[in-house]
Amino acid sequence: MGDWSLYFFAKLCLYYGGFIGFHWLPNLVFAIVLAFPLEVPLVRRARTVLAIPLAIVLLYYDSWLPSFGRVASQAGALLEFDRGYLLELLGRFVNPYVLAGMIFLTVAHLLLRQRVRLATFAFAGILSVPLAALIGSWQIGGAPDANRPAAASASASVSASASASASAPALLEPSAQLEAFYAAERQRRVALPSIRGSRAPFDVVLLHVCSLSWDDLAYLGESGQPLLNRFDAVFRQFNAASTYSGPSILRVLRSTCGQARHDEMYQGVANECSLIHNFDVAGFEVHGLLNHNGEFDNFARTLRGYGGLRQGLDDNRHAPEAMRAFDNSPVYADGPLLAGWLQQHGKSARPLALYYNTITLHDGNRVPGAGSSSTLATFKPRLTRLLADLDRFISQLEQRGRPVVVLFVPEHGAGLRGDRMQIAGMREIPSPAVTLVPAAVKLIGAKQAATAQPLVVDKPLSHFALGTLLAGFVADNPFAGDGGQPLAQRLQALPETPFVSENANIVVMRRGDGYLMRSPAGNWTAFKP
């Protein structure tokens, strides 16, 4: 095998360190081919030439990077990235600690290769992977998977959620637990009653913010954000369930039904599951507004087609440009954009329902005049600016004198912290650090007096809770008469949703006191970044 043993030692170190996966069978076959003795020098050289690209492909296959199919499907979108942003992303892959470890390993290999038969140890290391995976599979109660370090074992116990949809018995195998979750979610429906003729109709403003999670706020030291304190209720365990904008907008706009599988959302949506359709039928005047052009990854088309916003989008070009997006398209300033929209539409005779989407915090945005070109370095100033703009907009809504339900719902987190499996800003794995977001609700002009501090809802919720809450507000108007049922009671009655997050290829599910991840191949592993 010669110096190829260093290749396998390096991958094994990365694997047991939790930085990559390790498909032991392809690696074993590759090692056998490399170790097979060849007498003809020309054949040996040909094998080396062929082995180098195969080694690169196998390393990529073992990594936590998106699958080849995923990369191919997103190739067009990746080509739209600004060149400076692509260079920044490449720089994030450099881990100084891993680099130092690889240098040490290389030096040790050079010193020992003439004294020790290292190929034997390389084969032993490869075969240790399935053995460790087998031991780990006994702990999670599912099929073994050698693509995850055995040291990261999941809890052996499984606790049933208090949610009505958590009907899966505690001892279900992981795939069965997931199927039970989907089966229960399919039964969930809620409808918005008509508000026509109501004594006190109200507006609804849904602020859908790209790239902000609880983990991002904690990483920045901003967990006690003043803006959140202006809301009447804050949800500590709200699961956005997706980590990309496309599926995120579909999930929030089908919040009158339970959580669907990722692929089901792109098969059309029944009217009863469409929040936009429910708004329209109930008597709201529906609007959609973006602070970007909506062209990247067909965002606007997805919003109109699968999201149900067939009314089209309101013009945003009256607002000043605040920055350039990761694809070099304009990003408009949130404050002036929202203020201009309110001035134009705020006096409508019908109650308004606004869906507003902002990408001010999106990774890769370039701020003119910023002291750093790193988008990670400019995230906190962009966050400060965005939250100040939203705070000002809420004040403008209050001054207008009309009752409004304001929903603050991030699409997903930014992944600022990163982990061993994903670089900062990468969101291919829907981890809790990325999908648990600071959702909140505010009732402007409600009859019941607001509390000094927001009510904190600390139970697992997702988008169906928002649909249920809105339906309750329409049925029992908090702005009419005595305000109806107290907000605290409404929040207490919200239906829980067990934690399940997913993208096109990967699912992360809560199980007992920990989390499991299902790989694209369908194998379950303990998730512990």
Side-chain angles (χ1 to χ4, degrees), residues 335-355:
L337 178 57
L338 287 166
W341 181 89
L342 189 61
Q343 184 177 10
Q344 182 178 358
H345 300 284
K347 296 182 180 180
S348 173
R350 294 174 60 192
L352 299 168
L354 170 66
Y355 170 81

Side-chain angles (χ1 to χ4, degrees), residues 329-492:
S329 62
V331 178
Y332 301 106
D334 295 283
L337 178 57
L338 287 166
W341 181 89
L342 189 61
Q343 184 177 10
Q344 182 178 358
H345 300 284
K347 296 182 180 180
S348 173
R350 294 174 60 192
L352 299 168
L354 170 66
Y355 170 81
Y356 178 69
N357 182 272
T358 172
I359 64 166
T360 294
L361 302 181
H362 198 290
D363 196 42
N365 290 355
R366 306 287 172 177
V367 182
S372 172
S373 61
S374 168
T375 58
L376 294 177
T378 63
F379 186 92
K380 189 168 184 177
R382 285 186 283 136
L383 174 64
T384 300
R385 180 174 180 176
L386 170 64
L387 297 184
D389 283 346
L390 296 182
D391 186 86
R392 188 159 46 250
F393 178 59
I394 290 174
S395 296
Q396 292 165 351
L397 291 173
E398 291 174 332
Q399 294 164 7
R400 192 179 53 138
R402 282 175 57 154
V404 188
V405 175
V406 180
L407 297 171
F408 178 86
V409 188
E411 292 180 8
H412 50 72
L416 292 178
R417 194 188 304 268
D419 54 46
R420 292 178 298 176
M421 300 172 71
Q422 298 190 114
I423 61 171
M426 191 173 181
R427 294 170 275 110
E428 188 67 16
I429 299 174
S431 68
V434 180
T435 67
L436 290 178
V437 298
V441 61
K442 182 173 181 63
L443 305 179
I444 296 176
K447 296 297 181 180
Q448 299 172 21
T451 57
Q453 293 291 324
L455 299 169
V456 176
V457 183
D458 196 8
K459 60 181 181 179
L461 301 173
S462 196
H463 299 97
F464 186 66
L466 300 180
T468 302
L469 194 61
L470 286 172
F473 288 154
V474 175
D476 182 18
N477 197 329
F479 305 100
D482 60 358
Q485 187 181 31
L487 180 59
Q489 294 181 16
R490 297 176 191 257
L491 298 172
Q492 182 64 33

Side-chain angles (χ1 to χ4, degrees), residues 276-295:
I276 299 298
H277 177 79
N278 272 272
F279 278 141
D280 191 43
V281 171
F284 288 88
E285 179 183 310
V286 181
H287 289 265
L289 183 66
L290 316 177
N291 81 329
H292 52 101
N293 61 21
E295 293 180 6

